[in-house]
Amino acid sequence: LFRGHTLVWYQQLPEWFKEVVNRQNAEKFLVEHITTVTKRYAGQMHSWDVVNEAIEPDDGQKAGLRKSPWLQFLGPDYIELAYRVAAQADPKAMLVYNENALEYSGRKEEVKRTAVLKLLERLKSRGTPIHALGIQSHLVAQEGALNAKKLRTFLSDVASLGLKILITELDVTDQKLPSDPAVRDRIVAGAYEDYLSVVLDEPAVIAVLNWGLSDRHTWLSMFTPRSDGSPVRPLPLDSNLKPKLAWNAMARAFDQAPKR
């Protein structure tokens, strides 16, 4: 099964975007882009991350929306538009809203979860063809225990909207853990198991995807390198593609999860 990631995002716009796109033509470019990509793969995709990371309460915008060119040019309705265009071009695919920083229970995460829920409620109330929430799940091992109760409540609230939930970008940053790989691997494995044991209790969670499988290829090597220079170890397989403790931890979580 294949997933498409991502149709609308505020980052990695083409170099010509600033010179070419404006309030007058932004809708045309958005519709053309989504239609072109989704029609090319229509009928072949399990799901699309249609809109990615549209919420950022710290930006101070109405409804917690992130400042982005799409919001600037089209207003908040760009999100609904994206789903309607994608649904028309690939009517069989599951259409997902994908977001980061929803897993923990600090003040910022709580505010973001509330804003995401309100966005999903608003889209559903307008009959928008949205089918699932994607929770990226870039975990940080040294943050300690999750607030399982609050996370379960959030997952349940999402499910109550009739939405499925996908864990879309799972990995565990070991940037600030001890240098000993064996110690790091134990802590990382614990973070995987603790998290999955909570999220898999929610029947609406239908998929878990790692953001990479092997430590040989991970975005965290560039974005969160270790100060001691040793390779990061955030994924279930090591750099030689051998299973680590994280692999076993994930397997236990799946084995112990309620069937769905």
Side-chain angles (χ1 to χ4, degrees):
L1 300 179
F2 288 91
R3 302 196 67 243
H5 174 85
T6 174
L7 295 172
V8 183
W9 192 27
Y10 71 99
Q11 287 192 25
Q12 295 188 342
L13 295 166
E15 290 184 6
W16 51 259
F17 188 93
K18 285 185 178 180
E19 285 70 41
V20 174
V21 182
N22 54 48
R23 290 181 187 274
Q24 286 68 45
N25 62 23
E27 182 172 333
K28 170 183 172 290
F29 277 100
L30 185 69
V31 170
E32 183 178 338
H33 169 69
I34 295 172
T35 302
T36 302
V37 176
T38 48
K39 275 193 172 181
R40 179 180 178 89
Y41 300 101
Q44 304 177 62
M45 305 300 287
H46 169 272
S47 50
W48 291 97
D49 287 335
V50 178
V51 177
N52 190 48
E53 300 176 359
I55 296 290
E56 180 47 82
D58 284 352
D59 281 358
Q61 302 297 297
K62 186 177 180 181
L65 292 174
R66 181 187 294 276
K67 283 183 180 177
S68 73
W70 300 118
L71 183 65
Q72 175 188 350
F73 293 147
L74 299 175
D77 287 346
Y78 84 88
I79 299 174
E80 181 180 352
L81 173 65
Y83 285 92
R84 295 197 181 280
V85 174
Q88 189 169 9
D90 192 0
K92 293 184 178 179
M94 177 181 290
L95 304 183
V96 183
Y97 174 70
N98 198 50
E99 188 56 89
N100 63 12
L102 300 175
E103 304 79 25
Y104 295 105
S105 295
R107 185 200 66 82
K108 289 184 67 172
E109 290 88 350
E110 292 277 8
V111 171
K112 191 166 196 176
R113 289 205 290 231
T114 299
V116 167
L117 266 177
K118 288 182 177 177
L119 171 63
L120 297 175
E121 289 170 354
R122 187 163 65 252
L123 292 173
K124 289 290 289 185
S125 72
R126 294 167 67 98
T128 309
I130 180 172
H131 310 123
L133 171 66
I135 300 178
Q136 292 185 17
S137 307
H138 295 297
L139 307 180
V140 182
Q142 70 270 14
E143 286 194 8
L146 291 158
N147 188 316
K149 182 179 179 181
K150 288 186 176 181
L151 181 56
R152 284 192 174 95
T153 298
F154 174 69
L155 298 172
S156 177
D157 288 344
V158 173
S160 73
L161 298 174
L163 296 171
K164 300 298 185 184
I165 300 168
L166 290 75
I167 306 305
T168 54
E169 305 183 22
L170 180 61
D171 52 22
V172 179
T173 302
D174 70 344
Q175 182 184 34
K176 297 180 181 178
L177 296 182
S179 58
D180 185 340
V183 173
R184 274 194 275 156
D185 285 356
R186 282 198 299 274
I187 298 172
V188 166
Y192 272 109
E193 192 162 5
D194 289 348
Y195 182 67
L196 289 176
S197 67
V198 173
V199 298
L200 292 173
D201 274 347
E202 172 52 61
V205 176
I206 61 163
V208 175
L209 294 89
N210 284 94
W211 206 234
L213 285 176
S214 165
D215 295 336
R216 185 189 300 181
H217 303 293
T218 169
W219 71 296
L220 296 171
S221 295
M222 180 182 298
F223 285 88
T224 58
R226 291 180 54 82
S227 59
D228 61 9
S230 61
V232 296
R233 300 176 64 84
L235 291 166
L237 305 181
D238 68 16
S239 58
N240 295 314
L241 306 180
K242 301 298 183 185
K244 295 155 49 187
L245 293 177
W247 177 279
N248 301 327
M250 292 184 69
R252 282 193 301 273
F254 287 128
D255 287 344
Q256 293 165 13
K259 299 295 183 235
R260 63 212 64 199

